[in-house]
Amino acid sequence: MDIKELKSMAMEAIFGAKAKATLEEIRVKYLSKKGAVAQLFSGIKDVPPEHRGEYGASVNALKNEIEEAYKAKEAELHKEELDARLKKEAIDLTLPGLSLSKGHRNPYRIIVDEAISIFSDLGFEVREGRDIETEEFNFTLLNVPFDHPARDMQDTFYVDGGLLLRTQTSAGQAHAMVENEAKSPIRMVCPGKTYRRDDDDMTHSHQFGQIEGLLVDKGISLSDLKGMLELFVSRMFGGKREIRFRSSYFPFTEPSVEVDVSCAKCSGKGCSMCKGTGWIEILGAGEVHPNVLRSCGYDPDVYSGFAFGVGIERVAMLRYDIDDIRRIYQNDIRFLRGF
């Protein structure tokens, strides 16, 4: 096979290759150590001496042309392969990007943080309470006798070892007084969850939040409690809600009062949420009972104080006109976007 014929065959094969594998086979056939071009070089011994220089130069030129054609075709096939891959894996840069939506604070946390801010401005410190309590701190030290209905299984969630889920954050005030060995003045609030057996409806839940407050010092009267609560309600609700005080009974305070706020849904006219009364209770309070002071190591003839428990969800419902307490626990983003 002469040089021109080999060149024609090699170029036609290279230019007609459709895949890298085919092109590799062509390279082996023409450019490998045992390929067609190498065989031409090995045949130089059969060429007359006077024509060997010209023959060798022609074979070298053929080899260079085939190699250049091979490299050009290899680059072409690589580009075609890359273009096909890019087309298959293409990202439409004109489409809007994905954005992360911002989270929203639950109204429960908003009320807790604002209440803590209000009480902190009044000089109250924040103490952490315990979700699991003993009967001593949850009941006995708070002047709740052994035969009180609140100790029954129907009202209290008991766990193993004689422990229970606290039914009120008031247990925090018992801990504060017992742990205060110096019996110095106490001014503290204790926010947290409480647990009671209750029917779930628009205004009740088996678990709910409270902020328990306690102030113990010398010469503390009910007027101090009233002034503090009026300031709290004023800062929390502004002038849009009416409040009322009414006498009540709690084992751990004497005298005791309940503070109601006018219903946000009906503006005090009466509806299903307020059960037709026009009012919703948000907290109970009173002067610390002498028995509680005495049980916790304080002399009731020297010290006095007041305690209160604020219902966090009730405040949130009144503040934001929430129609169902259960919405606060469901973490529905559609609901939380309102805050």
Side-chain angles (χ1 to χ4, degrees):
M1 184 180 298
D2 61 22
I3 294 176
K4 290 184 178 180
E5 183 179 0
L6 183 61
K7 176 182 177 180
S8 177
M9 292 177 61
M11 294 301 182
E12 183 179 354
I14 291 172
F15 294 145
K18 303 296 184 182
K20 284 186 175 181
T22 303
L23 187 63
E24 176 61 16
E25 293 176 357
I26 295 171
R27 186 196 68 79
V28 172
K29 180 178 180 180
Y30 291 99
L31 297 175
S32 65
K33 293 182 179 180
K34 296 182 179 180
V37 174
Q39 291 178 8
L40 288 178
F41 275 116
S42 64
I44 196 171
K45 63 181 182 300
D46 299 325
V47 177
E50 64 271 19
H51 297 296
R52 287 178 181 175
E54 181 183 354
Y55 178 82
S58 298
V59 174
N60 269 325
L62 172 64
K63 179 183 179 183
N64 292 335
E65 288 184 49
I66 294 176
E67 286 180 343
E68 290 178 3
Y70 168 80
K71 291 178 181 178
K73 188 63 177 182
E74 183 182 39
E76 179 184 333
L77 292 177
H78 178 73
K79 183 177 183 303
E80 290 178 356
E81 185 181 80
L82 182 61
D83 289 343
R85 182 179 176 185
L86 291 175
K87 184 177 181 180
K88 181 180 179 181
E89 301 175 2
I91 299 175
D92 189 349
L93 299 180
T94 65
L95 292 174
L98 298 177
S99 60
L100 297 176
S101 59
K102 292 184 178 180
H104 299 268
R105 297 174 69 202
N106 192 291
Y108 179 95
R109 292 306 319 170
I110 296 174
I111 296 301
V112 169
D113 292 343
E114 289 196 21
I116 288 176
S117 176
I118 294 171
F119 291 125
S120 295
D121 290 344
L122 295 173
F124 287 77
E125 66 170 327
V126 180
R127 292 175 62 104
E128 293 292 333
R130 306 175 185 180
D131 288 84
I132 298 180
E133 274 293 355
T134 64
E135 288 195 70
E136 179 185 12
F137 282 95
N138 195 78
F139 293 126
T140 306
L141 292 178
L142 298 177
N143 198 38
V144 180
F146 287 100
D147 57 353
H148 194 281
R151 294 197 182 210
D152 292 344
M153 291 292 291
Q154 288 79 6
D155 293 318
T156 305
F157 293 110
Y158 286 88
V159 296
D160 294 338
L163 301 176
L164 53 86
L165 297 178
R166 65 182 179 187
T167 58
Q168 67 263 332
T169 50
S170 302
Q173 65 173 274
H175 280 285
M177 288 189 285
V178 170
E179 293 167 7
N180 183 15
E181 297 181 359
K183 303 309 172 189
S184 55
I186 295 176
R187 186 175 295 190
M188 52 82 70
V189 290
C190 177
K193 288 288 187 179
T194 60
Y195 311 88
R196 299 179 191 174
R197 188 270 183 196
D198 206 342
D199 294 327
D200 286 350
D201 58 29
M202 290 192 303
T203 59
H204 294 83
S205 173
H206 65 279
Q207 71 168 22
F208 55 94
Q210 277 189 344
I211 298 179
E212 170 72 19
L214 173 70
L215 190 152
V216 176
D217 204 343
K218 297 178 181 179
I220 302 300
S221 66
L222 196 63
S223 61
D224 297 313
L225 169 64
K226 184 178 179 182
M228 187 276 299
L229 292 180
E230 286 180 340
L231 177 60
F232 167 74
V233 171
S234 175
R235 288 188 57 178
M236 182 61 70
F237 297 104
K240 297 181 181 180
R241 298 285 187 270
E242 295 182 13
I243 64 173
R244 72 176 182 182
F245 297 88
R246 53 190 171 88
S247 298
S248 185
Y249 166 76
F250 302 108
F252 31 82
T253 55
E254 179 61 39
S256 302
V257 295
E258 288 187 2
V259 180
D260 302 332
V261 178
S262 58
C263 179
K265 187 175 182 180
C266 65
S267 299
K269 298 177 181 178
C271 65
S272 59
M273 188 169 76
C274 63
K275 298 181 179 179
T277 66
W279 301 90
I280 293 181
E281 175 192 351
I282 60 168
L283 64 90
E287 285 277 296
V288 179
H289 199 291
N291 290 344
V292 174
L293 290 171
R294 191 176 294 107
S295 298
C296 295
Y298 282 81
D299 185 351
D301 293 328
V302 177
Y303 293 94
S304 59
F306 61 72
F308 57 90
V310 183
I312 298 170
E313 292 87 350
R314 296 293 180 89
V315 173
M317 293 176 73
L318 290 167
R319 175 83 172 271
Y320 299 112
D321 194 16
I322 300 171
D323 62 345
D324 194 325
I325 193 173
R326 292 166 294 191
R327 298 187 190 279
I328 297 175
Y329 312 127
Q330 293 169 346
N331 284 328
D332 189 329
I333 190 63
R334 296 168 297 180
F335 169 72
L336 295 179
R337 283 196 185 105
F339 305 95

